[in-house]
Amino acid sequence: MLLGNIAALYRYPVKSMRGQEPQSAELGLHGLEGDRRYALRRFGDHTGFPWLTASQLFELVRFTPVHRGDDLYVRTPDGHEFPILSTELKEELSARYGSPIEIFHQRHGIFDDANLSIITLDTVEEIARQAGVPADVRRFRPNIAVRLSSPASFQEDNWLGGAITFGDSHDAPTISVTQRDVRCGVINLDPDTAEPAPELLKTVVRTNQNCAGIYATITRPGRLEVDQPIHFHAQTFTHATT
């Protein structure tokens, strides 16, 4: 079944910082190439989730990862640029947070629940409409934004347990939809100003059990491109007979 096409692709070189919007990207078994390969870790945190995210430091969404050739830099909200693993950037972030942090690199990425997230533009627009806030898909920090052929908000919930392919080739990139995306207060943050709008999360809680979008795992790697068609395949089960 044709769902629609890819409206936009997003990758986040540093967890909780501003995303990049490529026109195409390699989808590997560990998500989009270059996605969330760096994160900020809080010293002395033993909760099992040591990462410093925009939930604790709103300003992180205004830090911009920038590639200079093969090297990654980060532009601060004040316009300064530092290499990703530099002492200067670590000190800048520690000062804003008010406690020491370290910058951590993981080859296969640092994810909360799964290594690929998807949301439809219709879901974003419906949440924003009910919340009385301008629609901005960046608030939801997906990897893939979907433009549906048959618009309907929260349609992603119907994809659970199924497979999605991107493109029309016999070896098209394929993912398995594993779970709904349970949301946190990060969606309240304006991606440009970091100003919170609590109405967003309240709306998601009220209208769809605090879920918006889905998570998936990759079953066949390949290349994704903006405008690529998206197909849904329902899971079928066969029973062995004796």
Side-chain angles (χ1 to χ4, degrees):
M1 180 177 69
L2 178 66
L3 290 178
N5 59 17
I6 296 178
L9 295 168
Y10 298 92
R11 63 170 168 242
Y12 309 87
V14 185
K15 187 176 178 66
S16 264
M17 289 188 184
R18 183 167 287 165
Q20 299 172 336
E21 196 172 340
Q23 290 299 297
S24 62
E26 287 296 324
L27 179 66
L29 293 177
H30 301 284
L32 289 186
E33 182 182 14
D35 186 46
R36 295 174 172 92
R37 270 34 179 184
Y38 292 89
L40 311 178
R41 186 161 62 181
R42 297 170 288 179
F43 279 112
D45 186 284
H46 304 291
T47 63
F49 190 85
W51 315 116
L52 174 64
T53 71
S55 294
Q56 297 90 31
L57 181 62
F58 293 176
E59 288 180 294
L60 279 182
V61 299
R62 299 182 62 219
F63 281 73
T64 306
V66 180
H67 282 96
R68 306 290 185 204
D70 293 332
D71 298 322
L72 182 63
Y73 289 74
V74 173
R75 183 184 304 126
T76 72
D78 301 324
H80 303 294
E81 281 191 17
F82 302 114
I84 180 63
L85 295 177
S86 65
T87 300
E88 293 88 347
L89 180 60
K90 183 168 66 174
E91 290 176 347
E92 168 91 9
L93 292 164
S94 296
R96 288 177 182 260
Y97 179 52
S99 185
I101 62 98
E102 63 177 335
I103 300 170
F104 184 80
H105 177 254
Q106 176 66 44
R107 183 163 61 97
H108 290 157
I110 300 142
F111 304 97
D112 294 348
D113 293 289
N115 48 24
L116 195 73
S117 60
I118 302 174
I119 199 167
T120 66
L121 297 182
D122 297 275
T123 293
V124 172
E125 290 166 3
E126 178 60 16
I127 293 167
R129 184 190 68 79
Q130 292 196 37
V133 175
D136 191 335
V137 68
R138 295 177 301 162
R139 288 180 179 269
F140 296 83
R141 302 182 66 82
N143 294 119
I144 302 172
V146 176
R147 182 183 297 108
L148 293 171
S149 299
S150 301
S153 58
F154 302 110
Q155 188 177 134
E156 306 93 319
D157 293 350
N158 299 326
W159 304 341
L160 286 174
I164 290 174
T165 57
F166 301 93
D168 298 314
S169 66
H170 70 279
D171 59 349
T174 304
I175 63 174
S176 177
V177 181
T178 55
Q179 64 190 89
R180 301 164 79 195
D181 191 338
V182 180
R183 292 298 177 168
C184 67
V186 171
I187 68 170
N188 290 333
L189 302 179
D190 185 297
D192 296 318
T193 67
E195 290 295 319
E199 300 83 4
L200 264 298
L201 185 59
K202 290 178 182 177
T203 298
V204 176
V205 171
R206 184 180 70 251
T207 59
N208 203 48
Q209 301 171 317
N210 201 26
C211 294
I214 50 93
Y215 283 123
T217 58
I218 295 87
T219 56
R220 183 190 293 135
R223 190 159 190 83
L224 303 183
E225 297 180 357
V226 171
D227 293 329
Q228 202 170 35
I230 302 172
H231 302 275
F232 176 74
H233 309 265
Q235 182 68 57
T236 59
F237 298 94
T238 59
H239 299 276
T241 58
T242 58

